[in-house]
Amino acid sequence: MATRSKHSIGERLMAAQVAIDAVLADAELQNALTPFGYSPERMAAARAHFEEAEKLQQAQQREYGEQFGATAAFEAAYEAADSAYMRSLKLARVAFKNDVQAQQGLGLNGRRKKSISGWVDQALLFYASLLEKPEFLAGLAQFGYDAAKVQAEMDLVTAVRAANVTQENEKGDAQKATQRRDASLDELDDWLADFKVVAEVALADDAQQLEKLGFGAV
């Protein structure tokens, strides 16, 4: 396999397209290159490979667009849920500052987890305990909390969990799309590198024809 090109993906695709299309459109180039194994049929196969690589590049860009969208949705969901959770947590710490059972049952003590899974577990414990224990919910009633308000905030947390799953799935899809595109592009680069060497031999006495291929004079 050829060393990964330092050129951009667009430049790599264009270099292959210029060389391939030049041969397919020029009978003189075809006559010169066919004896060296690059017949019109082989060039047409190379054109099909180029088109596939181009499609894979476009698919990769779409997948990353979807990933970025999923990440933005996740971040928005997390911001909304965390803001509500932090407000409720502060109020609960005031309401139950002398109630060890509530502090333990609601998970009031200690720092919030930094990982999403840890944060979700803490938040769900808090809201589920409020809904399951009438005495806990009654303790927050003074701050305007009822079951509907608690459920609404809990729904924000479950939305974060769902958005995170979507985000991770999109990341996986984007990574797979990148791998497929890179493999196809590397094969195209290899083909073009070999073709360039052969073309330089076949067209050694015709610099202008080499320039048509995008290789320039040797």
Side-chain angles (χ1 to χ4, degrees), residues 102-177:
Q103 291 172 12
Q104 185 66 28
L106 295 168
L108 301 183
N109 300 322
R111 295 183 178 181
R112 300 303 92 180
K113 300 291 186 180
K114 292 185 178 180
S115 68
I116 294 303
S117 60
W119 177 91
V120 167
D121 286 345
Q122 287 179 320
L124 289 179
L125 170 65
F126 176 76
Y127 290 116
S129 297
L130 284 172
L131 291 173
E132 292 171 5
K133 294 284 188 178
E135 61 270 29
F136 291 171
L137 188 59
L140 281 182
Q142 60 183 309
F143 299 117
Y145 282 76
D146 58 14
K149 180 176 176 62
V150 172
Q151 184 63 58
E153 291 191 5
M154 187 174 183
D155 290 344
L156 293 177
V157 176
T158 57
V160 171
R161 183 169 59 185
N164 188 52
V165 170
T166 299
Q167 175 188 225
E168 292 303 320
N169 288 340
E170 292 296 347
K171 284 181 180 179
D173 289 344
Q175 290 168 359
K176 289 178 183 178

Coordinates of all heavy atoms in Angstrom, one line a residue, residues 102-177:
A102 N -33.4 10.7 54.0 CA -33.6 11.3 52.7 C -32.3 11.6 51.9 O -32.3 11.4 50.7 CB -34.4 12.6 52.9
Q103 N -31.3 12.1 52.7 CA -30.1 12.4 52.0 C -29.5 11.1 51.3 O -29.0 11.2 50.2 CB -29.1 12.9 53.1 CG -29.4 14.2 53.7 CD -28.5 14.6 54.8 OE1 -27.5 14.0 55.1 NE2 -28.9 15.7 55.6
Q104 N -29.6 10.0 52.0 CA -29.1 8.7 51.5 C -30.0 8.2 50.3 O -29.5 7.9 49.3 CB -29.0 7.7 52.6 CG -28.4 6.4 52.1 CD -26.9 6.5 51.7 OE1 -26.2 7.4 52.3 NE2 -26.5 5.7 50.8
G105 N -31.3 8.3 50.6 CA -32.2 7.8 49.6 C -32.3 8.5 48.3 O -32.5 8.0 47.2
L106 N -32.0 9.9 48.4 CA -32.0 10.7 47.2 C -30.6 10.9 46.6 O -30.5 11.5 45.5 CB -32.6 12.1 47.6 CG -34.1 12.1 48.0 CD1 -34.5 13.4 48.6 CD2 -35.0 11.8 46.8
G107 N -29.6 10.4 47.3 CA -28.3 10.6 46.8 C -27.8 12.0 46.8 O -27.2 12.5 45.8
L108 N -28.1 12.7 47.9 CA -27.8 14.1 48.0 C -26.4 14.5 48.2 O -25.9 15.5 47.8 CB -28.7 14.8 49.0 CG -30.2 14.7 48.8 CD1 -30.9 15.5 50.0 CD2 -30.7 15.1 47.5
N109 N -25.7 13.6 48.9 CA -24.3 13.9 49.3 C -23.3 13.6 48.3 O -23.5 12.7 47.4 CB -24.0 13.1 50.6 CG -25.0 13.5 51.7 OD1 -25.4 14.6 51.9 ND2 -25.3 12.5 52.5
G110 N -22.2 14.3 48.4 CA -21.1 14.0 47.4 C -21.2 14.8 46.1 O -22.2 15.4 45.8
R111 N -20.2 14.7 45.3 CA -20.1 15.4 44.0 C -20.9 14.6 43.0 O -21.1 13.4 43.1 CB -18.7 15.6 43.6 CG -17.9 16.5 44.5 CD -16.5 16.7 43.9 NE -15.7 17.7 44.7 CZ -14.5 18.1 44.4 NH1 -13.9 17.6 43.3 NH2 -13.9 18.9 45.2
R112 N -21.4 15.3 42.0 CA -22.0 14.6 40.9 C -21.0 14.0 40.0 O -19.9 14.5 39.8 CB -22.9 15.6 40.1 CG -24.0 16.3 40.8 CD -24.9 15.4 41.5 NE -24.5 15.1 42.9 CZ -25.2 14.3 43.7 NH1 -26.3 13.7 43.3 NH2 -24.8 14.0 44.9
K113 N -21.3 12.8 39.4 CA -20.4 12.1 38.6 C -20.1 12.9 37.3 O -21.0 13.6 36.8 CB -21.0 10.7 38.2 CG -21.3 9.8 39.4 CD -20.0 9.3 40.1 CE -20.3 8.3 41.1 NZ -19.1 7.8 41.8
K114 N -18.9 12.8 36.8 CA -18.6 13.5 35.6 C -18.9 12.7 34.3 O -19.2 13.2 33.2 CB -17.1 13.8 35.5 CG -16.7 14.8 36.6 CD -15.2 15.2 36.5 CE -14.8 16.3 37.5 NZ -13.4 16.7 37.4
S115 N -18.9 11.3 34.5 CA -19.3 10.5 33.3 C -20.8 10.6 33.1 O -21.6 10.8 34.0 CB -18.9 9.1 33.6 OG -19.7 8.5 34.6
I116 N -21.2 10.5 31.9 CA -22.7 10.6 31.5 C -23.4 9.4 32.2 O -24.5 9.7 32.8 CB -22.9 10.5 30.0 CG1 -22.3 11.8 29.4 CG2 -24.4 10.4 29.7 CD1 -22.9 13.1 29.9
S117 N -22.9 8.2 32.2 CA -23.6 7.1 32.8 C -23.7 7.3 34.3 O -24.8 7.1 34.9 CB -22.8 5.8 32.6 OG -21.5 5.9 33.1
G118 N -22.7 7.9 35.0 CA -22.7 8.1 36.4 C -23.7 9.2 36.7 O -24.5 9.1 37.7
W119 N -23.7 10.3 35.9 CA -24.6 11.4 36.1 C -26.0 11.0 36.0 O -26.9 11.3 36.8 CB -24.3 12.5 35.1 CG -25.2 13.7 35.2 CD1 -25.0 14.8 36.0 CD2 -26.4 13.9 34.5 NE1 -26.1 15.7 35.8 CE2 -26.9 15.1 34.9 CE3 -27.1 13.1 33.6 CZ2 -28.1 15.6 34.3 CZ3 -28.3 13.6 33.0 CH2 -28.8 14.8 33.4
V120 N -26.3 10.2 34.9 CA -27.7 9.7 34.7 C -28.1 8.8 35.9 O -29.3 8.9 36.4 CB -27.7 8.8 33.4 CG1 -29.0 8.1 33.3 CG2 -27.6 9.8 32.2
D121 N -27.3 7.9 36.4 CA -27.6 7.1 37.5 C -28.0 7.9 38.7 O -29.0 7.7 39.4 CB -26.5 6.2 37.9 CG -26.3 5.0 36.9 OD1 -27.2 4.8 36.1 OD2 -25.2 4.4 36.9
Q122 N -27.2 9.0 39.0 CA -27.5 9.8 40.2 C -28.8 10.6 40.0 O -29.6 10.7 40.9 CB -26.3 10.8 40.4 CG -25.1 10.2 40.9 CD -24.0 11.2 41.1 OE1 -23.8 12.1 40.3 NE2 -23.2 11.1 42.2
A123 N -29.0 11.1 38.8 CA -30.2 11.9 38.6 C -31.4 11.0 38.6 O -32.5 11.4 39.2 CB -30.1 12.6 37.2
L124 N -31.4 9.8 38.0 CA -32.5 9.0 38.0 C -32.9 8.5 39.4 O -34.0 8.3 39.8 CB -32.3 7.8 37.1 CG -32.3 8.1 35.6 CD1 -32.1 6.8 34.8 CD2 -33.7 8.7 35.2
L125 N -31.8 8.2 40.2 CA -32.1 7.8 41.6 C -32.8 8.9 42.4 O -33.8 8.7 43.1 CB -30.7 7.6 42.3 CG -30.8 7.4 43.9 CD1 -31.6 6.1 44.2 CD2 -29.4 7.3 44.5
F126 N -32.4 10.2 42.2 CA -33.0 11.3 42.8 C -34.5 11.4 42.5 O -35.3 11.5 43.3 CB -32.2 12.6 42.4 CG -32.8 13.9 42.9 CD1 -32.6 14.2 44.2 CD2 -33.5 14.7 42.0 CE1 -33.2 15.4 44.7 CE2 -34.1 15.9 42.5 CZ -33.9 16.3 43.8
Y127 N -34.8 11.4 41.2 CA -36.2 11.6 40.8 C -37.0 10.4 41.1 O -38.2 10.6 41.5 CB -36.2 12.0 39.3 CG -35.7 13.4 39.0 CD1 -34.5 13.5 38.2 CD2 -36.3 14.5 39.5 CE1 -34.0 14.8 37.9 CE2 -35.8 15.8 39.2 CZ -34.7 15.9 38.4 OH -34.2 17.2 38.1
A128 N -36.5 9.2 40.8 CA -37.3 8.0 41.1 C -37.6 7.9 42.6 O -38.7 7.5 43.0 CB -36.5 6.8 40.6
S129 N -36.7 8.3 43.4 CA -36.9 8.2 44.9 C -38.0 9.2 45.3 O -38.8 8.9 46.2 CB -35.6 8.5 45.7 OG -34.7 7.4 45.4
L130 N -38.0 10.4 44.7 CA -39.0 11.4 45.0 C -40.4 10.9 44.6 O -41.3 11.1 45.3 CB -38.7 12.7 44.2 CG -37.6 13.6 44.8 CD1 -37.3 14.7 43.8 CD2 -37.9 14.1 46.2
L131 N -40.5 10.2 43.5 CA -41.8 9.7 43.0 C -42.2 8.5 43.8 O -43.4 8.3 44.0 CB -41.7 9.3 41.5 CG -41.5 10.5 40.6 CD1 -41.3 10.0 39.2 CD2 -42.7 11.4 40.6
E132 N -41.3 7.7 44.3 CA -41.6 6.5 45.0 C -41.9 6.7 46.5 O -42.6 5.9 47.2 CB -40.5 5.4 44.9 CG -40.4 4.9 43.4 CD -39.2 4.1 43.2 OE1 -38.5 3.8 44.2 OE2 -38.9 3.7 42.1
K133 N -41.3 7.8 47.1 CA -41.5 8.0 48.5 C -42.3 9.3 48.7 O -41.8 10.4 48.6 CB -40.1 8.2 49.2 CG -39.2 7.0 49.2 CD -39.7 6.0 50.2 CE -38.7 4.8 50.4 NZ -39.1 3.9 51.4
P134 N -43.5 9.2 49.1 CA -44.4 10.3 49.3 C -43.8 11.3 50.3 O -44.0 12.5 50.1 CB -45.7 9.7 49.8 CG -45.7 8.3 49.3 CD -44.3 7.9 49.3
E135 N -43.1 10.8 51.3 CA -42.5 11.7 52.3 C -41.4 12.6 51.7 O -41.2 13.7 52.2 CB -42.0 10.9 53.5 CG -40.9 9.9 53.3 CD -41.5 8.5 52.9 OE1 -42.6 8.5 52.3 OE2 -40.7 7.6 53.2
F136 N -40.7 12.0 50.8 CA -39.6 12.8 50.1 C -40.3 13.9 49.3 O -39.8 15.1 49.3 CB -38.8 11.9 49.2 CG -37.9 10.9 50.0 CD1 -37.2 9.9 49.3 CD2 -37.8 11.0 51.4 CE1 -36.4 9.0 50.0 CE2 -37.0 10.1 52.1 CZ -36.3 9.1 51.4
L137 N -41.3 13.5 48.5 CA -42.0 14.5 47.6 C -42.6 15.6 48.5 O -42.6 16.8 48.1 CB -43.0 13.8 46.8 CG -43.7 14.6 45.7 CD1 -42.7 15.2 44.7 CD2 -44.7 13.8 45.0
A138 N -43.2 15.2 49.6 CA -43.8 16.2 50.5 C -42.8 17.2 51.0 O -43.1 18.4 51.2 CB -44.5 15.5 51.7
G139 N -41.5 16.7 51.2 CA -40.5 17.6 51.7 C -40.1 18.7 50.7 O -39.7 19.8 51.1
L140 N -40.4 18.5 49.4 CA -40.1 19.5 48.4 C -41.3 20.3 48.0 O -41.2 21.2 47.2 CB -39.5 18.8 47.2 CG -38.0 18.5 47.2 CD1 -37.6 17.9 45.9 CD2 -37.1 19.7 47.5
A141 N -42.5 19.9 48.6 CA -43.7 20.6 48.2 C -43.6 22.1 48.5 O -44.2 23.0 47.8 CB -44.9 20.0 48.9
Q142 N -42.9 22.5 49.6 CA -42.8 23.9 49.9 C -42.1 24.7 48.9 O -42.2 25.9 48.8 CB -41.9 24.0 51.2 CG -40.5 23.4 51.1 CD -39.8 23.5 52.4 OE1 -39.7 24.5 53.1 NE2 -39.2 22.3 52.8
F143 N -41.3 24.1 48.0 CA -40.7 24.8 46.9 C -41.4 24.6 45.6 O -40.9 24.9 44.5 CB -39.2 24.2 46.7 CG -38.4 24.4 47.9 CD1 -37.9 23.3 48.6 CD2 -38.1 25.6 48.4 CE1 -37.1 23.4 49.8 CE2 -37.3 25.8 49.6 CZ -36.8 24.7 50.2
G144 N -42.7 24.2 45.6 CA -43.5 24.1 44.4 C -43.4 22.8 43.6 O -43.8 22.8 42.5
Y145 N -42.8 21.8 44.3 CA -42.7 20.5 43.6 C -43.9 19.6 43.8 O -44.4 19.5 44.9 CB -41.4 19.8 44.0 CG -40.2 20.3 43.4 CD1 -39.6 21.6 43.8 CD2 -39.5 19.7 42.4 CE1 -38.5 22.1 43.3 CE2 -38.4 20.2 41.8 CZ -37.9 21.4 42.2 OH -36.7 21.9 41.7
D146 N -44.4 19.0 42.7 CA -45.4 17.9 42.8 C -44.9 16.8 41.9 O -43.9 16.9 41.3 CB -46.8 18.5 42.5 CG -46.8 19.0 41.1 OD1 -45.9 18.8 40.3 OD2 -47.8 19.7 40.7
A147 N -45.7 15.8 41.9 CA -45.3 14.6 41.1 C -45.1 14.9 39.6 O -44.2 14.4 38.9 CB -46.3 13.5 41.3
A148 N -46.0 15.8 39.1 CA -45.9 16.1 37.7 C -44.6 16.9 37.4 O -43.9 16.6 36.3 CB -47.1 17.0 37.3
K149 N -44.2 17.8 38.2 CA -42.9 18.5 38.0 C -41.7 17.6 38.1 O -40.8 17.7 37.3 CB -42.8 19.6 39.1 CG -41.5 20.5 38.9 CD -41.5 21.6 39.9 CE -40.2 22.4 39.9 NZ -40.0 23.1 38.6
V150 N -41.7 16.7 39.1 CA -40.6 15.7 39.2 C -40.6 14.8 38.0 O -39.5 14.6 37.5 CB -40.8 14.9 40.5 CG1 -39.8 13.8 40.6 CG2 -40.7 15.8 41.7
Q151 N -41.7 14.3 37.5 CA -41.7 13.5 36.4 C -41.2 14.2 35.1 O -40.5 13.6 34.3 CB -43.1 13.0 36.1 CG -43.2 12.0 35.0 CD -42.5 10.7 35.2 OE1 -42.7 10.0 36.2 NE2 -41.5 10.4 34.4
A152 N -41.6 15.5 35.0 CA -41.1 16.2 33.8 C -39.6 16.4 33.8 O -39.0 16.2 32.8 CB -41.8 17.6 33.8
E153 N -39.0 16.6 35.0 CA -37.6 16.7 35.1 C -36.9 15.3 34.9 O -35.8 15.3 34.3 CB -37.2 17.3 36.4 CG -37.6 18.8 36.5 CD -36.9 19.5 37.7 OE1 -36.1 18.9 38.4 OE2 -37.3 20.7 38.0
M154 N -37.5 14.3 35.4 CA -37.0 13.0 35.2 C -37.0 12.6 33.7 O -36.1 12.0 33.2 CB -37.8 11.9 36.0 CG -37.2 10.5 35.9 SD -38.2 9.4 37.0 CE -37.2 7.9 36.8
D155 N -38.0 13.1 33.0 CA -38.1 12.8 31.5 C -37.0 13.5 30.8 O -36.5 13.0 29.8 CB -39.4 13.3 31.0 CG -40.6 12.5 31.4 OD1 -40.4 11.3 31.9 OD2 -41.8 12.9 31.3
L156 N -36.5 14.6 31.3 CA -35.4 15.3 30.7 C -34.1 14.5 30.9 O -33.3 14.4 29.9 CB -35.1 16.7 31.4 CG -36.2 17.8 31.2 CD1 -35.8 19.0 32.0 CD2 -36.3 18.1 29.7
V157 N -34.0 13.8 32.0 CA -32.8 12.9 32.2 C -32.9 11.7 31.3 O -31.8 11.3 30.7 CB -32.8 12.5 33.7 CG1 -31.6 11.5 33.9 CG2 -32.6 13.6 34.6
T158 N -34.0 11.1 31.1 CA -34.1 9.9 30.2 C -33.9 10.4 28.8 O -33.4 9.6 28.0 CB -35.5 9.2 30.4 OG1 -36.5 10.1 30.1 CG2 -35.6 8.7 31.8
A159 N -34.2 11.6 28.5 CA -34.0 12.1 27.1 C -32.5 12.2 26.9 O -32.0 12.0 25.8 CB -34.6 13.5 26.9
V160 N -31.7 12.6 27.9 CA -30.3 12.7 27.8 C -29.7 11.3 27.5 O -28.8 11.1 26.7 CB -29.6 13.2 29.1 CG1 -28.1 13.1 29.1 CG2 -30.0 14.7 29.3
R161 N -30.2 10.3 28.2 CA -29.7 8.9 28.0 C -30.0 8.5 26.6 O -29.1 7.9 26.0 CB -30.4 8.0 29.0 CG -29.9 6.6 29.0 CD -30.4 5.8 30.1 NE -31.8 5.7 30.2 CZ -32.5 5.2 31.2 NH1 -31.8 4.6 32.2 NH2 -33.8 5.2 31.2
A162 N -31.2 8.8 26.1 CA -31.5 8.4 24.7 C -30.7 9.1 23.7 O -30.2 8.6 22.7 CB -33.0 8.6 24.5
A163 N -30.4 10.4 24.0 CA -29.6 11.2 23.0 C -28.2 10.8 23.0 O -27.5 10.8 22.0 CB -29.7 12.7 23.4
N164 N -27.7 10.3 24.2 CA -26.3 9.8 24.2 C -26.2 8.5 23.4 O -25.2 8.3 22.7 CB -25.9 9.5 25.7 CG -24.4 9.2 25.8 OD1 -23.6 9.9 25.3 ND2 -24.2 8.1 26.5
V165 N -27.2 7.6 23.5 CA -27.2 6.4 22.7 C -27.1 6.7 21.2 O -26.4 6.2 20.5 CB -28.4 5.5 23.0 CG1 -28.5 4.4 22.0 CG2 -28.3 5.0 24.5
T166 N -28.0 7.7 20.8 CA -28.0 8.1 19.4 C -26.6 8.7 19.0 O -26.1 8.4 17.9 CB -29.1 9.1 19.2 OG1 -30.4 8.6 19.5 CG2 -29.1 9.6 17.7
Q167 N -26.1 9.5 19.9 CA -24.8 10.1 19.6 C -23.7 9.0 19.4 O -22.9 9.1 18.5 CB -24.4 11.0 20.7 CG -23.0 11.6 20.6 CD -22.5 12.4 21.8 OE1 -22.0 13.5 21.7 NE2 -22.7 11.8 23.0
E168 N -23.7 8.1 20.3 CA -22.7 7.0 20.2 C -22.9 6.2 18.9 O -21.9 5.8 18.3 CB -22.7 6.1 21.4 CG -22.3 6.8 22.7 CD -20.9 7.4 22.6 OE1 -20.0 6.7 22.0 OE2 -20.6 8.5 23.1
N169 N -24.1 5.9 18.6 CA -24.4 5.1 17.3 C -23.9 5.9 16.1 O -23.3 5.3 15.2 CB -25.9 4.9 17.2 CG -26.3 3.8 18.2 OD1 -25.6 3.0 18.7 ND2 -27.6 3.8 18.5
E170 N -24.1 7.2 16.1 CA -23.7 8.0 15.0 C -22.2 8.1 14.9 O -21.6 8.1 13.8 CB -24.3 9.4 15.1 CG -25.8 9.5 14.9 CD -26.3 9.1 13.5 OE1 -25.4 9.0 12.6 OE2 -27.5 8.8 13.3
K171 N -21.5 8.1 16.1 CA -20.1 8.1 16.1 C -19.5 6.8 15.4 O -18.6 6.9 14.6 CB -19.5 8.2 17.5 CG -19.6 9.6 18.1 CD -19.0 9.6 19.5 CE -19.1 10.9 20.2 NZ -18.6 10.9 21.6
G172 N -20.2 5.7 15.8 CA -19.7 4.4 15.2 C -20.0 4.4 13.7 O -19.1 3.9 13.0
D173 N -21.1 4.9 13.3 CA -21.4 4.9 11.8 C -20.4 5.8 11.1 O -19.9 5.5 10.0 CB -22.8 5.5 11.6 CG -23.9 4.5 12.0 OD1 -23.5 3.3 12.2 OD2 -25.0 4.9 12.1
A174 N -20.0 7.0 11.7 CA -19.1 7.9 11.1 C -17.7 7.3 11.0 O -17.0 7.4 10.0 CB -19.0 9.2 11.8
Q175 N -17.3 6.5 12.0 CA -16.0 5.9 12.0 C -15.9 4.8 11.0 O -14.9 4.6 10.3 CB -15.7 5.3 13.4 CG -15.4 6.4 14.4 CD -15.4 5.9 15.9 OE1 -15.6 4.7 16.1 NE2 -15.1 6.8 16.8
K176 N -17.0 4.0 10.8 CA -17.0 3.0 9.8 C -17.0 3.6 8.4 O -16.3 3.1 7.5 CB -18.3 2.1 10.0 CG -18.3 1.2 11.2 CD -19.6 0.5 11.3 CE -19.7 -0.4 12.6 NZ -21.0 -1.1 12.7
A177 N -17.7 4.7 8.2 CA -17.7 5.3 6.9 C -16.3 5.9 6.6 O -15.9 5.8 5.4 CB -18.7 6.5 6.9

